[in-house]
Structure formats: C-alpha cells, structure tokens
Amino acid sequence: SGTPEEVAPPLQQSFMIPRKEINMVSDMAKWKRSQAYADYMGFILTLNEGVRGKKLTCEYKVSEPIEKLVALLNTLDRWIDETPPVDQPSRFGNKAFRTWYAKLDQEAEKLVATVIPKHLADAAPEVAVYLKESVGNSTRIDYGTGHEAAFAAFLCCLCKIGVLRVDDQMAIVFKVFNRYLEVMRKLQKTYRMEPAGSQGVWGLDDFQFLPFIWGSSQLIDHPHLEPRHFVDEKVVNENHKDFMFLECILFITELKTGPFAEHSSQLWNISAVPSWSKVNQGLIRMYKAECLEKFPVIQHFKFGSLLPIQPVTS
C-alpha cells in the first residue's frame, strides 16, 4: 500500500490541469495499471491500517481542515432539510433530489474553496468534480459504490495537495467519512434513491462497501466480538456506536425486513469467517474484484492531474 508519505505527496502546482481535461474510464486494463488506481488503493489501505483496532469513540486529533470538511457535509445535510420530497406517483427516486443536486452542482467549487488554503485555490475546480460525483446520479436518482469511491477519491486528492496530513488518518475515517455516511443515508431515505448497480441479495450492501472494510479493521483482535456476533441484534445495538461495521448492519436491518440470511446472504456468509483479519483481507479482495474492476461501477471515475490515467510510476 506504500507509506502514508508516498500515498499523499505534496502537490506541485504546475501539475494542475483544467477541469475539462478530466476524462472517464474507457479501458479497464489501463485503469488497473494507472497511477490513479495505485494512489486510490494506497489511500484505502493506509486508512485501513490507521483505524485498525480503534473505536469510533476513541480520542484522536481533529485538525482545522477536518473541521472544515465536517462543516461542508453539515451544509449538504441542511440542504436536505431545505429540499423536502415532492408528491409524485412513483415510490422511488423522488425528483426533489434533482433540486438538491442542482444546488451542489452550483456551489461545489465554493464549498471546496472553504476547505483548501488560498495558495491552492487552483485545485478547487478539479477536486470539486469528485465531490459532485460522490452523492449519486441526478438523472437516475441512484447511489452506489462508484459514488462512494468518488468521495474517497475526493479525500485522496485533498491528501495529495497537502490539505490532509498523515496524522489526520483516524479523523478522515471516523470524523469525515462517518459524517459522509450519515448524510448519504439521509439522502437515500429522504429521496428513496435506487441502488446503483445493485447485485440484490448477492451483493455485500445496496449502497456502501468501504465502511465494511475499515469497520472490519476496527474489530481486528477485539477481545470479545467475533464475526459471528454481528448477526446478533443485541450485540449490534450495544456496540454500533463504536464500530462502523456494526453501524452498517444496523442501517441494513432498519431498511430491510425478513431473516438476515435471506436479504443479506453475502454478509451472512461472512459471519462464518473465523477472524476479523480474514474478513478484512477478504473484503479488500472483494472490493477490488466487485467494485474497482467492474466496468458498470467504475466507468464514471474521473481522471485529472491529481489522479492521472498514466501508468503507475511509484
């Protein structure tokens, strides 16, 4: 995965390119060989190690950029309250989401500019692209792991330009990404968003994947909680505030009815794995195979100067 310093090198300002030069995936083999893929996976794996064995409620450093990112997400949350669902015949895909998204589309660069220092202002247009991609598709009114990946790429870009630092690792996951999850869940419930590219009961989850990876890392070497325990409703209710993985399970059980083994068969199978370290390793392999290497998921991933399509050089 590389050291944190390798994953998040300082930005050379001359590398910035205009937003119009950001392109989408057209060749999966080229994507897997790209600097963007290497940097993205390095970022995911560095954070995976950073939260290993740590609770959401533990103490960690919260820097000014982290606070600004939380404020940005709080703004998106407030806009949901200001944009209630509209009455419409269809149950899913409430069109009020398009109104909400139009506001983000208009304000994204200004929001990003509140997070990055003035001397890096030229980076705002490029970084804002990933923020806009991270909340779902306004045409289809759906959300999936490709959108989640865009938010991780947004955070990765902030690391690459030096806004987020190595010692922000825990806060990136526990403070920022966890707040992002809360806002996305509110979006999904408020506007009844469809899952994008859902595999139904054979998928891990309708909407998210990364919190299962980082959440399983949190639970590695836990003295009491084993993978078999996350299907126990009592255990989930008592521990979900400490562990991202259990928060995800709680959200699934709130949305879906019937036996857990029937509506979430992949997770049910994972509960039989003997240790959290094996769960974590398996989920990383699954994420690469089922998300990052599936064209329908990754086809809209954007490339630019910060996450380039050029072959990996480091």
Side-chain angles (χ1 to χ4, degrees):
S1 63
T3 65
E5 288 80 5
E6 290 171 337
V7 172
L11 172 77
Q12 296 299 318
Q13 196 65 14
S14 60
F15 289 173
M16 290 305 304
I17 62 171
R19 178 175 50 180
K20 65 184 179 184
E21 292 184 32
I22 292 178
N23 298 306
M24 292 189 292
V25 174
S26 59
D27 184 331
M28 290 302 289
K30 193 175 183 182
W31 152 241
K32 287 163 64 178
R33 292 194 302 267
S34 70
Q35 188 67 50
Y37 184 93
D39 288 348
Y40 179 85
M41 273 312 301
F43 179 69
I44 298 302
L45 295 175
T46 297
L47 294 180
N48 188 60
E49 284 303 307
V51 300
R52 183 176 176 136
K54 306 287 197 312
K55 292 182 178 181
L56 286 167
T57 50
C58 73
E59 290 188 9
Y60 50 87
K61 178 201 167 195
V62 179
S63 64
E64 186 179 350
I66 293 291
E67 293 285 12
K68 288 178 177 178
L69 281 166
V70 172
L72 183 156
L73 292 165
N74 290 343
T75 298
L76 301 188
D77 190 310
R78 190 183 74 249
W79 289 351
I80 300 173
D81 295 333
E82 295 170 358
T83 317
V86 298
D87 291 330
Q88 62 180 44
S90 61
R91 184 180 170 200
F92 291 96
N94 195 279
K95 292 176 182 176
F97 174 72
R98 291 174 182 156
T99 305
W100 181 91
Y101 183 86
K103 192 169 182 68
L104 173 61
D105 190 40
Q106 184 179 358
E107 301 290 331
E109 287 185 29
K110 291 179 185 175
L111 288 173
V112 171
T114 66
V115 176
I116 63 179
K118 288 183 179 178
H119 70 278
L120 294 173
D122 287 350
E126 185 171 339
V127 176
V129 170
Y130 295 101
L131 177 63
K132 289 190 285 186
E133 290 284 316
S134 73
V135 298
N137 183 278
S138 62
T139 303
R140 297 187 302 271
I141 313 181
D142 64 5
Y143 175 95
T145 50
H147 302 109
E148 177 190 66
F151 190 76
F154 167 69
L155 297 173
C156 182
C157 287
L158 292 176
C159 283
K160 292 195 78 172
I161 64 175
V163 172
L164 297 174
R165 305 284 182 175
V166 172
D167 56 0
D168 287 319
Q169 284 181 46
M170 288 176 64
I172 288 171
V173 178
F174 293 169
K175 193 87 172 168
V176 178
F177 194 83
N178 207 43
R179 184 70 183 112
Y180 165 75
L181 285 179
E182 291 171 354
V183 177
M184 291 307 102
R185 286 166 182 159
K186 188 171 177 178
L187 272 181
Q188 290 152 22
K189 288 195 287 188
T190 302
Y191 303 121
R192 302 301 299 270
M193 299 177 76
E194 296 274 15
S198 172
Q199 296 174 298
V201 296
W202 302 110
L204 186 69
D205 178 77
D206 281 343
F207 299 111
Q208 313 296 157
F209 203 114
L210 291 176
F212 290 96
I213 294 177
W214 295 330
S216 60
S217 182
Q218 283 183 273
L219 286 155
I220 290 174
D221 296 329
H222 192 283
H224 311 299
L225 295 177
E226 299 173 14
R228 63 189 174 90
H229 290 131
F230 77 74
V231 295
D232 184 323
E233 186 179 347
K234 184 173 182 287
V235 171
V236 171
N237 288 334
E238 289 176 354
N239 296 279
H240 69 92
K241 290 182 179 178
D242 285 326
F243 300 104
M244 194 174 277
F245 194 104
L246 301 184
E247 276 280 5
C248 290
I249 300 298
L250 183 67
F251 184 66
I252 289 170
T253 56
E254 287 174 351
L255 285 186
K256 298 187 176 183
T257 57
F260 189 89
E262 291 181 12
H263 63 62
S264 301
S265 59
Q266 280 279 29
L267 285 168
W268 179 261
N269 292 338
I270 287 171
S271 71
V273 176
S275 70
W276 285 111
S277 60
K278 288 189 178 298
V279 170
N280 186 246
Q281 292 163 14
L283 287 174
I284 290 168
R285 289 194 298 270
M286 186 179 176
Y287 184 61
K288 290 178 180 177
E290 299 301 324
C291 294
L292 297 187
E293 296 173 10
K294 286 291 171 70
F295 185 76
V297 176
I298 213 67
Q299 62 180 318
H300 301 295
F301 195 93
K302 301 295 194 295
F303 300 99
S305 65
L306 296 175
L307 291 172
I309 189 61
Q310 283 74 27
V312 64
T313 56
S314 62

